[in-house]
Amino acid sequence: MGSRFGTLFSIVTFGESHGGAVGVVVDGCPARLALSEADIQVDLDRRRPGQSRLSTPRQEADRVSILSGVFEGLTLGTPIALMVANEDTKPQHYDEMRTVYRPSHADYTYDAKYGHRMWAGGGRSSARETIGRVAAGAIARKLLAERWGVEILGYVTQIGRICAEVDPEAVTRAAVETLPDGEPNAARCPDAEASARMFAAVDEARCAGDSLGGIVGCVARGVPAGWGEPVFDKLEADLAKAMMSIPASKGFEIGSGFAGAAQHGSEHNDTFYVDEQQRVRTRTNRSGGVQGGISNGEAVVMRVGFKPTATIRSQQETVTTEHEPAVLAARGRHDPCVVPRAVPVVEAMCALVLVDHALRQTAQAGAHGD
Amino acid sequence: MGSRFGTLFSIVTFGESHGGAVGVVVDGCPARLALSEADIQVDLDRRRPGQSRLSTPRQEADRVSILSGVFEGLTLGTPIALMVANEDTKPQHYDEMRTVYRPSHADYTYDAKYGHRMWAGGGRSSARETIGRVAAGAIARKLLAERWGVEILGYVTQIGRICAEVDPEAVTRAAVETLPDGEPNAARCPDAEASARMFAAVDEARCAGDSLGGIVGCVARGVPAGWGEPVFDKLEADLAKAMMSIPASKGFEIGSGFAGAAQHGSEHNDTFYVDEQQRVRTRTNRSGGVQGGISNGEAVVMRVGFKPTATIRSQQETVTTEHEPAVLAARGRHDPCVVPRAVPVVEAMCALVLVDHALRQTAQAGAHGD
Amino acid sequence: MGSRFGTLFSIVTFGESHGGAVGVVVDGCPARLALSEADIQVDLDRRRPGQSRLSTPRQEADRVSILSGVFEGLTLGTPIALMVANEDTKPQHYDEMRTVYRPSHADYTYDAKYGHRMWAGGGRSSARETIGRVAAGAIARKLLAERWGVEILGYVTQIGRICAEVDPEAVTRAAVETLPDGEPNAARCPDAEASARMFAAVDEARCAGDSLGGIVGCVARGVPAGWGEPVFDKLEADLAKAMMSIPASKGFEIGSGFAGAAQHGSEHNDTFYVDEQQRVRTRTNRSGGVQGGISNGEAVVMRVGFKPTATIRSQQETVTTEHEPAVLAARGRHDPCVVPRAVPVVEAMCALVLVDHALRQTAQAGAHGD
Amino acid sequence: MGSRFGTLFSIVTFGESHGGAVGVVVDGCPARLALSEADIQVDLDRRRPGQSRLSTPRQEADRVSILSGVFEGLTLGTPIALMVANEDTKPQHYDEMRTVYRPSHADYTYDAKYGHRMWAGGGRSSARETIGRVAAGAIARKLLAERWGVEILGYVTQIGRICAEVDPEAVTRAAVETLPDGEPNAARCPDAEASARMFAAVDEARCAGDSLGGIVGCVARGVPAGWGEPVFDKLEADLAKAMMSIPASKGFEIGSGFAGAAQHGSEHNDTFYVDEQQRVRTRTNRSGGVQGGISNGEAVVMRVGFKPTATIRSQQETVTTEHEPAVLAARGRHDPCVVPRAVPVVEAMCALVLVDHALRQTAQAGAHGD
């Protein structure tokens, strides 16, 4: 249970770190969207490990196949099944995890819940599970862009203690992905100076057999007013669930977030005005583009906090599956910092929430004649 | 849409600030739970306005009626409908809201979404909507306590710039609700000294026609290991959605939250040990009781950030429904700080998430013979 | 569980035969539909007992109240809660049901499932539960009529062994509700001659302390091509579930139904032609307006079989709740034939399925630009 | 949309007749069920075409692969993805379907709904879609058998005008699958004499380029009392939806079905008695094992009517996609009678409904301490 997400644009992901494959079935994508494997591969490549020293050296091509739902280059309106084969698995690297619980990892809780666990590589709790999310998110993002002109962009604002100021209205994909010198921006922080310091900090942690956490920001620009539902399915509530379902996330903020808690209403409120196109706008955006759970036409701005990777090479006290004390120093290939690779995952989850609410609002507005 | 929450213990809330009634239908509460209106009223009384100067002087008894689902003092296993009549409504206090959008309120977004809006008192976006949540949460909490021994406790840790340290393992209901001198703890902060300063700060904001935000912490003690689902329905993801669906919430954290983002893995990881009852335990609880989306048997600890109340008496620039500039100084009865009254709402949402996962895990574990 | 129906136009019914009230919450009705209690009452009056000798003499006004979701005569887009108070209850008439299971009724299975049962009047298994369906169905029907021009009409085609031929393309509401002499058509069979014989047959069963079953037909005219989903949510599958969820139903057919099983493909296939408006039509309608789970623009035609009422005054062998043999002759007020009163319930369930698929198709078609 | 089924034991099927693969993802199967590809293959082999002259000569091995969710021979509690590659496709056989709508097939409605259609072999409306159902049903059936001792058995009771009497309490898998002489029972009718006549009738239809419909019966033995939910998710309602979602089904009956509509209550009611094991039993089973939507411990007995295959070699009037008149005589490989191959599909859908309700009841009963 629990591997399904979305009401109208609905996905189910499947797959463990080891075993046949990982993937996703998307049910509810409207017909006649132009779609090829290349549209999806581009985001999978951004998520893929081995892109720099910042991430695990595990090398996997992660080539996606469309198994169904597309015909003559257009979606059919039927389920789109996407699959990525597992390869390059070295289960021997995980031998000790068979009998020893990694601190702050899901080994113990999976055993407590299921009484049976794929110990190699984390099984279902592995970051490989996010392949299905990113693949489905690529479709969602394409539909949002083509049909509603929505653009979604994620970026790193903090790694460890190194923070960057990023303007969500102005940040570009180019600045996130590429450094001024044309090199890949391994830290995915659009502030190049901060990015360099982040890179160094992660490298230091890696050498020390340690890991670092960080914060990913995400903005959706071009969201029209009226998406989201009052009460439980507020746009920010569904975004919060989406983000807090990403492995290692520990916090979520929309707009002013926790900082808003320290303000007075007279400081915090976003005053309205009417712009030149006669649209109702706000002069500030502490609301983060959402009021009462419904988008107000401003940029939807959020932040997601990630803890440091749990699997580290340093020695840690722990216990065995037989409840005996043990000391663990993980071998295998582990990300010293998952945060840059989390950027496409955050974008994908944002896209999946938005496209679902876009369809829900289309149903309602269309039905009363708008 | 969007007024439903939960998979097995499922609720639908209804009602606007003005109109016949607000309420909730609970579908999925197991049979034979002892339940009376008094069990529910106690939490509604904690949520009710007019308890102190900190909240709106609007006086409503908010008496709950059980319309169905209970017979001879026990639940039937069928839907439990709960209703609270609306009374003491003074729509004339809201006249200006008919044509003027309150900044950072839901007036504009509701119009953008629906093209029709109950302007009096916020309609569906009013805090009165949370009555249904609190009523349903009281049932969830009772089931959790009786069947699994789970205790849920919310408390205020910050109002404006005044913060308190609260130990989630040790905090008591008594300290949250009552001051050392026996008076009601209007701020619901268990640190009495901080509570007094919070009270003063809110009073000052009230006199200035302004408002304040704050932070509510919440702990669930006694949750067994194994609740929550991997991937999308992680316990922390469902808690995040639950909390971010509460009006005025802007941020959610589980365990270490955003602070964890600044740490190294070697600092952040919760090392395992085996306690005297041979239970696997962690020496620290930065995970917040959840690992890989599944409870690990430690206290589940979370925090929710609330923005300052949007409706204030101070003058604000805004626009009319006809897109003309306007200046608004709200009349009517408004909470200068919603945070203390949010405590029972946070508890209710926590209870609703936990009871749903308790039932989901009961289905799975029972089916494989545990 | 199980009291919820629909994906986008979603309802939850509540209430037992005795207790405070029965009702429904409709979540997902689009905003700005003109709606008053009178729109709903008209269908409740058709469902109400005591309309003729054919049904129970239980006299209840069954006046509906709109508790939420409507403002200034228009729906708000928020949940519409509808309530009908229970009255005229004579629990003493049901005393023996406390300890004796009625054959073919739900008394035993409710005890087996829940271990606790409202024995008076059938509790949740009472036909009073259908009040919520009919109330919600009235809203669905109004939206279907106003927005898409869909008309839904139910009628009785069989009671006991008396059958009538009814042409679903031509039948009128007037012929179903009124006899040629202007009297109410108590049997709701549009064939007046058959209707008279049905009336006599039910009256005979009533006098004998017995009961009769029958068949209700239903047609939806004006459904555009394209509603319904392939695979599990086929239009006929959702209609089947809807109809088989009505108390006492035992069978469902779409189009040719079981008779089609005896035919050759060359006889059964509906050949296509193009009509004067250049619409693709079929010359026959054995498909019942649905092909591959999706409406084809022809009338959607279905039939629902109902067993005879289980509660009869004749003596029957049975057992007690203590598993002792017993003989039961039910007292109280029971319908000798539920079939005429089932007509508005069948119509309501048909409307609820269609409006949900109308909204689902609006979402998809709108999203690819149609 | 619409390719998902089930609440707790939930499946999503995917795949068209042509394209990469067909398959299913099962989310919600409890952990630690022994499962191998062989457990699933056995049912797929029964569904496979080419088993006799009664079905299409299309030859496909339909070998299933488990992509995820199973480790060391036991389910993990995580999604189980199952895939069958498409092969032996001869799209040239379907050329005329590109531009000509087959009468009573889904070609036209898919175009009306989606504006884009995989014309080769029916695409998503092909019977190949049922591979995913049968594969998932095999898992459901294994869990039902091992955990609750439930046995599910389908059989043919009618093809064309040839009917057989089958006793659902006594029928055996052996009689359904094998003739007294040891040959495969191609018609899957346990009455060998009727089976022979059915075989001859289908063969005659095949030679004539025509097709035949029929009826499949199904019984679930060993279902405990208490499964199913009141109101909308009645066991018979969910079974009805399940069966009416199978391609070509036109009718569903539980227990007495439409025949019950002609009876008096005194004839139809199932009188209770207490058996030697002190279990409450009924002397007859016109209820079909279900009362008030909840199983009563008797055999659950149902019937499903199938229309004759729409695609036939005889000439038929129709129209083109350009709305021009046309005459169609289908080439390609088509089942002259789908009914025998529908038996494992009916069993699978029955198993999927029952296992879902088993888990739902486990959740509720476990939660109130049973």
Side-chain angles (χ1 to χ4, degrees):
Chain A
M1 280 200 293
S3 289
R4 179 171 180 266
F5 191 79
T7 298
L8 290 183
F9 191 103
S10 165
I11 72 168
V12 173
T13 68
F14 62 87
E16 280 75 39
S17 57
H18 297 73
V22 294
V24 67
V25 181
V26 177
D27 191 19
C29 181
R32 304 208 304 271
L33 177 72
L35 189 70
S36 70
E37 284 155 354
D39 292 322
I40 299 162
Q41 194 64 49
V42 61
D43 278 345
L44 289 181
D45 288 347
R46 294 172 64 222
R47 193 216 73 92
R48 197 160 51 82
Q51 302 170 72
S52 80
R53 280 210 309 279
L54 296 205
S55 70
T56 164
R58 184 169 167 165
Q59 289 291 346
E60 303 193 83
D62 289 349
R63 302 300 304 177
V64 70
S65 301
I66 299 178
L67 299 180
S68 68
V70 177
F71 182 61
E72 298 178 339
L74 298 177
T75 57
L76 283 162
T78 59
I80 304 168
L82 305 172
M83 191 183 83
V84 169
N86 283 326
E87 32 176 304
D88 184 26
T89 58
K90 300 204 169 65
Q92 69 277 18
H93 281 186
Y94 302 97
D95 253 10
E96 71 262 24
M97 293 165 197
R98 183 169 207 154
T99 53
V100 177
Y101 293 134
R102 284 170 291 172
S104 287
H105 212 289
D107 302 335
Y108 166 65
T109 54
Y110 271 58
D111 258 4
K113 183 174 190 68
Y114 297 120
H116 179 47
R117 172 174 58 96
M118 180 186 268
W119 46 267
R124 185 71 176 144
S125 74
S126 157
R128 275 190 79 69
E129 177 271 323
T130 61
I131 285 177
R133 304 178 185 229
V134 170
I139 302 175
R141 184 203 296 255
K142 192 159 198 275
L143 185 61
L144 285 166
E146 296 195 359
R147 179 75 182 117
W148 291 281
V150 170
E151 178 195 28
I152 295 167
L153 191 51
Y155 40 84
V156 172
T157 66
Q158 182 177 333
I159 286 182
R161 297 181 190 281
I162 301 159
C163 302
E165 284 295 310
V166 178
D167 176 359
E169 306 279 350
V171 62
T172 65
R173 169 64 48 98
V176 175
E177 296 294 333
T178 314
L179 290 171
D181 61 6
E183 287 296 300
N185 187 343
R188 287 210 169 96
C189 175
D191 173 338
E193 186 272 333
S195 188
R197 288 192 292 136
M198 289 174 181
F199 188 96
V202 177
D203 214 33
E204 183 179 19
R206 186 177 60 81
C207 294
D210 211 336
S211 63
L212 279 176
I215 296 176
V216 173
C218 185
V219 60
R221 296 188 289 228
V223 174
W227 291 5
E229 301 290 330
V231 191
F232 300 116
D233 296 353
K234 287 186 166 78
L235 201 58
E236 62 268 41
D238 280 351
L239 287 167
K241 171 164 177 158
M243 299 308 166
M244 294 298 296
S245 78
I246 301 174
S249 64
K250 302 300 285 183
F252 173 83
E253 293 181 321
I254 187 96
S256 62
F258 282 96
Q263 293 189 298
H264 282 83
S266 57
E267 297 170 88
H268 188 273
N269 282 353
D270 296 317
T271 56
F272 284 117
Y273 72 102
V274 175
D275 73 6
E276 288 159 11
Q277 289 82 43
Q278 288 302 305
R279 290 177 52 216
V280 173
R281 302 290 309 277
T282 64
R283 295 208 184 271
T284 49
N285 189 15
R286 296 183 193 100
S287 298
V290 183
Q291 287 167 337
I294 302 167
S295 60
N296 66 354
E298 305 297 322
V300 179
V301 184
M302 68 211 81
R303 303 196 324 144
V304 189
F306 291 91
K307 67 172 187 176
T309 313
T311 312
I312 54 179
R313 292 204 321 276
S314 319
Q315 287 204 342
Q316 301 175 88
E317 276 184 56
T318 184
V319 299
T320 68
T321 55
E322 301 302 312
H323 294 197
E324 297 297 325
V327 170
L328 176 72
R331 292 177 295 155
R333 302 153 300 176
H334 307 291
D335 265 336
C337 182
V338 78
V339 178
R341 284 181 60 210
V343 167
V345 183
V346 165
E347 290 174 352
M349 294 310 299
C350 179
L352 289 166
V353 170
L354 289 177
V355 81
D356 197 41
H357 279 283
L359 293 178
R360 292 170 76 169
Q361 177 60 5
T362 299
Q364 284 191 32
H368 59 52
D370 295 351
Chain B
M1 281 200 293
S3 288
R4 181 170 178 266
F5 192 78
T7 297
L8 290 182
F9 191 102
S10 165
I11 72 169
V12 173
T13 67
F14 61 86
E16 280 75 39
S17 57
H18 296 73
V22 295
V24 66
V25 181
V26 178
D27 191 20
C29 181
R32 303 205 307 269
L33 177 72
L35 188 70
S36 70
E37 283 155 354
D39 292 321
I40 298 161
Q41 194 64 50
V42 61
D43 278 344
L44 288 181
D45 288 346
R46 293 173 65 222
R47 194 216 73 92
R48 197 160 51 82
Q51 301 169 73
S52 81
R53 279 211 309 278
L54 295 206
S55 69
T56 162
R58 183 169 167 165
Q59 289 292 346
E60 302 193 83
D62 288 349
R63 302 299 306 175
V64 70
S65 301
I66 299 178
L67 299 180
S68 69
V70 177
F71 182 59
E72 297 178 340
L74 298 176
T75 58
L76 283 162
T78 58
I80 305 167
L82 304 172
M83 191 182 83
V84 169
N86 283 326
E87 31 175 306
D88 184 26
T89 57
K90 300 202 170 64
Q92 68 277 18
H93 282 185
Y94 302 97
D95 253 10
E96 70 264 22
M97 294 166 197
R98 184 169 208 154
T99 52
V100 177
Y101 294 135
R102 285 171 290 173
S104 287
H105 211 289
D107 302 334
Y108 166 65
T109 53
Y110 271 57
D111 258 3
K113 183 175 189 69
Y114 297 120
H116 180 46
R117 171 174 59 97
M118 180 186 267
W119 45 267
R124 184 70 176 146
S125 74
S126 158
R128 275 191 80 67
E129 177 272 322
T130 62
I131 285 178
R133 305 177 185 229
V134 170
I139 303 175
R141 184 203 298 255
K142 192 159 197 277
L143 185 61
L144 284 166
E146 296 195 1
R147 179 74 183 119
W148 291 279
V150 170
E151 178 195 26
I152 294 166
L153 192 50
Y155 40 85
V156 172
T157 67
Q158 181 177 333
I159 286 183
R161 297 181 190 281
I162 301 159
C163 303
E165 284 295 311
V166 178
D167 177 358
E169 306 280 349
V171 62
T172 65
R173 168 65 49 96
V176 174
E177 296 293 332
T178 315
L179 290 171
D181 61 6
E183 288 296 299
N185 186 344
R188 287 209 170 97
C189 174
D191 172 338
E193 186 272 332
S195 187
R197 289 192 292 136
M198 289 173 182
F199 189 96
V202 176
D203 214 32
E204 183 178 20
R206 186 179 59 80
C207 294
D210 210 335
S211 63
L212 279 176
I215 296 176
V216 173
C218 186
V219 60
R221 297 188 288 229
V223 174
W227 290 4
E229 301 290 331
V231 192
F232 300 115
D233 295 354
K234 286 185 166 80
L235 201 58
E236 62 268 41
D238 279 352
L239 287 167
K241 170 164 177 160
M243 299 308 167
M244 293 298 296
S245 77
I246 301 174
S249 64
K250 301 300 287 182
F252 173 82
E253 295 181 319
I254 188 95
S256 61
F258 283 96
Q263 294 189 298
H264 283 83
S266 55
E267 298 170 89
H268 188 273
N269 282 354
D270 296 317
T271 55
F272 284 116
Y273 72 104
V274 175
D275 73 6
E276 287 159 13
Q277 288 83 43
Q278 289 301 305
R279 290 177 51 215
V280 173
R281 301 289 309 276
T282 63
R283 293 206 186 273
T284 49
N285 188 17
R286 296 182 195 100
S287 298
V290 183
Q291 287 167 337
I294 302 167
S295 61
N296 67 354
E298 304 298 323
V300 179
V301 184
M302 69 212 80
R303 303 198 324 146
V304 189
F306 291 90
K307 68 171 186 177
T309 313
T311 311
I312 54 179
R313 293 205 320 278
S314 318
Q315 287 203 342
Q316 301 175 86
E317 276 184 56
T318 185
V319 298
T320 68
T321 54
E322 302 301 312
H323 294 197
E324 297 296 325
V327 171
L328 176 72
R331 291 177 296 154
R333 300 153 303 174
H334 307 290
D335 265 335
C337 182
V338 77
V339 177
R341 286 179 59 209
V343 167
V345 183
V346 165
E347 292 173 352
M349 294 310 300
C350 179
L352 289 166
V353 170
L354 289 176
V355 82
D356 197 42
H357 279 284
L359 293 178
R360 291 170 76 169
Q361 176 61 3
T362 299
Q364 284 189 31
H368 59 53
D370 296 349
Chain C
M1 280 199 294
S3 288
R4 179 171 181 266
F5 191 79
T7 298
L8 289 183
F9 191 102
S10 165
I11 73 169
V12 173
T13 68
F14 61 88
E16 280 76 39
S17 57
H18 298 74
V22 294
V24 67
V25 181
V26 177
D27 191 19
C29 181
R32 304 208 304 271
L33 177 73
L35 188 70
S36 70
E37 285 156 353
D39 292 321
I40 298 162
Q41 193 64 49
V42 61
D43 278 345
L44 289 180
D45 288 347
R46 292 172 65 221
R47 194 217 72 93
R48 195 160 53 81
Q51 301 169 74
S52 80
R53 279 210 309 279
L54 295 205
S55 71
T56 164
R58 182 169 169 167
Q59 290 291 346
E60 301 193 84
D62 289 349
R63 302 300 305 176
V64 69
S65 301
I66 299 177
L67 299 179
S68 68
V70 177
F71 182 61
E72 298 179 338
L74 298 176
T75 58
L76 283 162
T78 59
I80 304 167
L82 305 171
M83 190 183 83
V84 169
N86 282 327
E87 29 174 307
D88 183 27
T89 57
K90 300 201 170 65
Q92 68 277 18
H93 281 186
Y94 303 96
D95 253 9
E96 70 263 24
M97 294 166 197
R98 183 169 208 155
T99 54
V100 177
Y101 294 134
R102 284 170 291 173
S104 287
H105 211 290
D107 302 335
Y108 166 64
T109 53
Y110 271 58
D111 258 3
K113 183 174 190 69
Y114 297 119
H116 180 47
R117 171 173 60 95
M118 179 185 268
W119 46 267
R124 184 73 175 144
S125 74
S126 158
R128 275 190 79 68
E129 176 271 323
T130 61
I131 285 177
R133 305 177 185 228
V134 170
I139 302 175
R141 185 203 297 256
K142 193 158 196 276
L143 184 61
L144 285 166
E146 295 195 0
R147 179 75 182 118
W148 291 280
V150 170
E151 177 194 27
I152 294 166
L153 191 50
Y155 40 83
V156 172
T157 67
Q158 181 177 332
I159 287 183
R161 296 181 191 282
I162 300 159
C163 303
E165 285 295 310
V166 179
D167 177 359
E169 306 280 350
V171 62
T172 65
R173 168 64 49 96
V176 174
E177 296 294 331
T178 314
L179 291 171
D181 62 5
E183 287 296 299
N185 186 345
R188 286 208 171 98
C189 174
D191 172 339
E193 187 273 332
S195 186
R197 289 191 291 136
M198 288 173 182
F199 189 95
V202 177
D203 214 33
E204 185 179 18
R206 185 178 60 79
C207 293
D210 211 336
S211 63
L212 279 175
I215 296 176
V216 173
C218 186
V219 59
R221 296 188 290 227
V223 174
W227 290 4
E229 301 290 330
V231 191
F232 300 115
D233 295 353
K234 288 184 165 78
L235 201 58
E236 62 267 43
D238 280 352
L239 287 167
K241 170 163 176 159
M243 299 307 166
M244 293 299 295
S245 78
I246 301 174
S249 64
K250 301 299 286 182
F252 173 83
E253 294 181 321
I254 187 97
S256 62
F258 282 96
Q263 293 189 300
H264 283 83
S266 55
E267 297 171 88
H268 189 272
N269 281 354
D270 296 317
T271 55
F272 283 116
Y273 71 102
V274 175
D275 72 6
E276 288 159 11
Q277 288 82 43
Q278 289 301 307
R279 290 178 51 216
V280 173
R281 301 290 308 277
T282 63
R283 294 206 184 273
T284 49
N285 189 15
R286 295 183 193 99
S287 298
V290 183
Q291 288 167 336
I294 301 167
S295 61
N296 66 354
E298 304 297 322
V300 179
V301 183
M302 68 211 80
R303 302 196 326 143
V304 189
F306 291 90
K307 68 173 187 176
T309 314
T311 312
I312 54 179
R313 294 203 320 278
S314 319
Q315 287 204 343
Q316 300 175 87
E317 276 184 55
T318 184
V319 299
T320 69
T321 55
E322 302 301 311
H323 294 196
E324 296 297 323
V327 171
L328 176 72
R331 290 178 298 155
R333 301 154 301 175
H334 307 290
D335 265 333
C337 182
V338 76
V339 177
R341 285 179 60 211
V343 167
V345 183
V346 165
E347 290 173 353
M349 295 310 300
C350 179
L352 289 166
V353 170
L354 289 177
V355 81
D356 197 41
H357 278 284
L359 293 178
R360 292 170 75 169
Q361 177 61 3
T362 299
Q364 285 191 30
H368 59 54
D370 297 350
Chain D
M1 280 198 294
S3 288
R4 179 171 180 266
F5 191 77
T7 297
L8 290 182
F9 191 102
S10 165
I11 72 168
V12 173
T13 67
F14 61 86
E16 280 75 40
S17 57
H18 297 74
V22 295
V24 66
V25 181
V26 178
D27 191 20
C29 182
R32 303 207 303 273
L33 177 72
L35 188 71
S36 70
E37 284 156 354
D39 292 322
I40 298 161
Q41 193 64 49
V42 61
D43 279 345
L44 289 181
D45 288 347
R46 293 173 65 221
R47 195 217 71 91
R48 195 160 52 82
Q51 300 169 72
S52 81
R53 280 210 309 279
L54 296 205
S55 71
T56 163
R58 182 168 168 165
Q59 290 291 348
E60 301 192 82
D62 288 349
R63 303 299 305 176
V64 69
S65 301
I66 299 177
L67 299 179
S68 69
V70 177
F71 182 61
E72 297 178 341
L74 298 177
T75 57
L76 282 162
T78 58
I80 305 168
L82 304 172
M83 191 184 83
V84 169
N86 283 326
E87 30 173 309
D88 183 25
T89 57
K90 301 201 169 64
Q92 70 277 19
H93 281 185
Y94 303 96
D95 253 9
E96 69 264 22
M97 293 166 198
R98 184 168 207 155
T99 53
V100 177
Y101 294 135
R102 285 171 291 173
S104 287
H105 212 291
D107 302 334
Y108 166 64
T109 53
Y110 271 57
D111 258 4
K113 184 175 189 67
Y114 297 119
H116 180 47
R117 172 174 59 95
M118 180 185 269
W119 45 267
R124 184 73 176 143
S125 74
S126 157
R128 276 190 79 69
E129 177 271 322
T130 62
I131 285 177
R133 304 177 185 229
V134 170
I139 303 175
R141 185 203 298 256
K142 192 158 197 275
L143 184 62
L144 285 166
E146 295 195 1
R147 179 75 182 120
W148 291 280
V150 170
E151 178 196 27
I152 294 166
L153 191 50
Y155 39 84
V156 172
T157 67
Q158 181 177 332
I159 286 183
R161 295 180 190 284
I162 301 159
C163 302
E165 284 295 310
V166 178
D167 177 359
E169 306 281 349
V171 62
T172 64
R173 168 64 49 97
V176 174
E177 296 294 333
T178 315
L179 291 170
D181 62 5
E183 288 296 300
N185 187 345
R188 286 207 172 99
C189 174
D191 173 339
E193 186 272 333
S195 187
R197 288 192 292 137
M198 289 173 181
F199 189 94
V202 177
D203 214 32
E204 183 178 20
R206 186 179 58 80
C207 295
D210 211 337
S211 63
L212 279 176
I215 296 176
V216 173
C218 185
V219 59
R221 296 187 290 227
V223 174
W227 290 5
E229 300 290 330
V231 191
F232 299 115
D233 295 353
K234 288 186 165 78
L235 201 57
E236 62 268 41
D238 280 352
L239 287 167
K241 170 163 177 161
M243 299 307 166
M244 293 299 295
S245 78
I246 301 174
S249 65
K250 301 299 285 182
F252 173 83
E253 294 181 322
I254 188 95
S256 61
F258 283 96
Q263 293 189 302
H264 282 84
S266 56
E267 297 170 89
H268 187 273
N269 281 353
D270 295 316
T271 56
F272 284 117
Y273 71 102
V274 175
D275 73 6
E276 287 159 11
Q277 288 83 43
Q278 289 302 306
R279 291 178 51 214
V280 172
R281 301 290 308 276
T282 63
R283 295 207 184 273
T284 49
N285 188 16
R286 295 181 194 101
S287 298
V290 182
Q291 287 167 337
I294 302 166
S295 61
N296 66 355
E298 305 298 324
V300 179
V301 184
M302 69 211 79
R303 303 196 325 144
V304 189
F306 291 91
K307 67 171 186 176
T309 313
T311 312
I312 54 179
R313 294 203 320 276
S314 319
Q315 288 204 341
Q316 301 176 86
E317 277 184 57
T318 185
V319 298
T320 67
T321 54
E322 301 302 311
H323 293 198
E324 297 297 324
V327 171
L328 176 72
R331 292 176 297 155
R333 301 154 301 176
H334 307 290
D335 265 335
C337 182
V338 76
V339 178
R341 285 179 59 209
V343 166
V345 183
V346 165
E347 291 173 353
M349 294 310 299
C350 179
L352 289 166
V353 170
L354 289 177
V355 82
D356 196 43
H357 279 284
L359 293 178
R360 292 170 76 169
Q361 178 61 4
T362 300
Q364 284 190 31
H368 58 51
D370 296 349

